[in-house]
Structure formats: C-alpha cells, structure tokens
Amino acid sequence: MQAMMNIQVLQGYAIRKIVTACPHCFNTLKNEYPNLGGNFDVIHHTQLIQSLIDEGKLRPADGHVFKGKRITYHDPCYLARANEVYEAPRKALEILDSDLVELKRCRSNGLCCGAGGAQMFKEPESGEKDINVERIEEVIASEASIVAAACPFCMTMLRDGVKVKEKEQQIQVLDIAEITVMASNL
C-alpha cells in the first residue's frame, strides 16, 4: 500500500527520473515499482556522477586532496550483486589520479557490510567476528587510507568497523559523492 501511495504521488508530480543515494531504494524503485505501475528511470548517484564525468561536466581540480592517495571501493550488495552496477563507482574514482586498489572480495564476489542482513539494527549474532570488522580487516590488508562507499548503510557499518579496529586516524570512510565534491572545483 505504501508503494502504491508513493507511485501515485510521484506520478502526480510527473516524475520521470529518480536519482537515489541508497542502493536499497535504487533496487526497490527500479525492480519492484514497475510491477505496481511505477515506471521511472531510476539511477544511482554514482551513475549520475559517471555520466557527468563522461560528458566532461565534472572533473577533479588540479592538486586535489585525493591525488596519489590509496583508495579502495566497497561494493554495496544492492548496487553490485543485485543490480550489477560495478563500473560507475569505479570510473568516478579512476579520474582522481589516485592509487585505486580492489579489495580481496569485490564486484560479484563482494562481501556484505552486514547492514543488508540487519546487523545495523540489532545485536550481532554469535560467531567469530562481526561482518563489518571482517570487511575492515580486508581494507586494512589493502593498505588503503580511504574507503569509498556508495550506500549510507555501508558507510555506518564500515565506520563502526574502523572504530572497532581503532583505525580512525588511518582510514577514512567517504561516500563517492563526498569524494567527488572534495576533489572538484564545485
């Protein structure tokens, strides 16, 4: 019922294109809303950033803060494996003239941060370690000083993992949109 009401409001405003910052919303709007009559052109903000770069409308400033930095990208589950959006986030980072490194588990073999499994909203299940800590251990192994994310839930989980490993001074977790703004002349 909520989806039907959302569709009605969006159609009432003649919305044709939706840009999301959340891969979960991206997945729902792109793949589930059409079955309910909500047919919109849905893109993730990393796809918008990539298209602006491709069109020459967005580029990093000379001597930007990320030049030469070691950056890794964490693939959000609902953007990567669920919707096969792998290149747009990476292209937005490749333009930075930084040292872009892949994590051990990435792309279609990516490791969930845990939020999609509701680990963000409850006490951890019993096991050897929390999934976000496991992911941050891969980041540490990559020797990246910046983790680029493309999901607000991933960002929270990754930042929590950084805190658990007491690496707040060595590792920054930033959204690709933040990185883009910080690197550009905007």
Side-chain angles (χ1 to χ4, degrees):
M1 286 178 24
Q2 183 66 52
M4 296 296 288
M5 287 178 13
N6 290 344
I7 291 166
Q8 187 176 20
V9 169
L10 292 166
Q11 290 173 340
Y13 284 103
I15 301 296
R16 294 185 311 270
K17 187 171 201 165
I18 301 172
V19 179
T20 70
C22 171
H24 300 255
C25 296
F26 173 79
N27 184 65
T28 300
L29 292 165
K30 182 178 187 330
N31 299 318
E32 296 174 19
Y33 272 41
N35 296 332
L36 303 170
N39 296 298
F40 309 101
D41 180 13
V42 182
I43 64 170
H44 187 262
H45 73 282
T46 58
Q47 293 171 311
L48 174 62
I49 291 168
Q50 178 198 356
S51 69
L52 292 171
I53 289 168
D54 291 347
E55 294 168 12
K57 295 179 179 176
L58 188 61
R59 66 181 194 290
D62 292 336
H64 61 81
V65 296
F66 301 104
K67 189 174 180 92
K69 298 270 176 128
R70 193 168 177 92
I71 301 175
T72 193
Y73 172 66
H74 166 77
D75 287 289
C77 296
Y78 277 93
L79 190 60
R81 291 187 312 239
N83 286 285
E84 298 181 350
V85 176
Y86 300 111
E87 297 311 315
R90 286 170 173 81
K91 288 188 183 220
L93 296 169
E94 287 169 0
I95 195 172
L96 296 176
D97 194 22
S98 59
D99 182 12
L100 187 58
V101 295
E102 291 284 1
L103 294 172
K104 176 181 160 187
R105 289 178 273 193
C106 63
R107 297 180 181 262
S108 62
N109 190 38
L111 179 65
C112 179
C113 72
Q119 298 304 309
M120 186 171 166
F121 305 106
K122 63 183 187 66
E123 291 300 315
E125 297 167 10
S126 59
E128 292 182 27
K129 71 177 93 162
D130 293 352
I131 191 75
N132 60 329
V133 172
E134 171 107 6
R135 190 55 160 168
I136 289 303
E137 288 174 354
E138 288 185 7
V139 170
I140 293 167
S142 78
E143 298 180 358
S145 61
I146 298 165
V147 182
C151 171
F153 297 108
C154 292
M155 288 186 61
T156 298
M157 295 299 286
L158 294 169
R159 284 181 176 151
D160 287 351
V162 168
K163 288 176 190 169
V164 167
K165 297 305 271 182
E166 298 180 351
K167 295 288 186 182
E168 298 98 329
Q169 301 304 313
Q170 294 86 18
I171 300 172
Q172 258 187 309
V173 179
L174 297 169
D175 188 280
I176 288 178
E178 290 178 289
I179 291 170
T180 302
V181 168
M182 292 169 70
S184 70
N185 287 323
L186 298 177

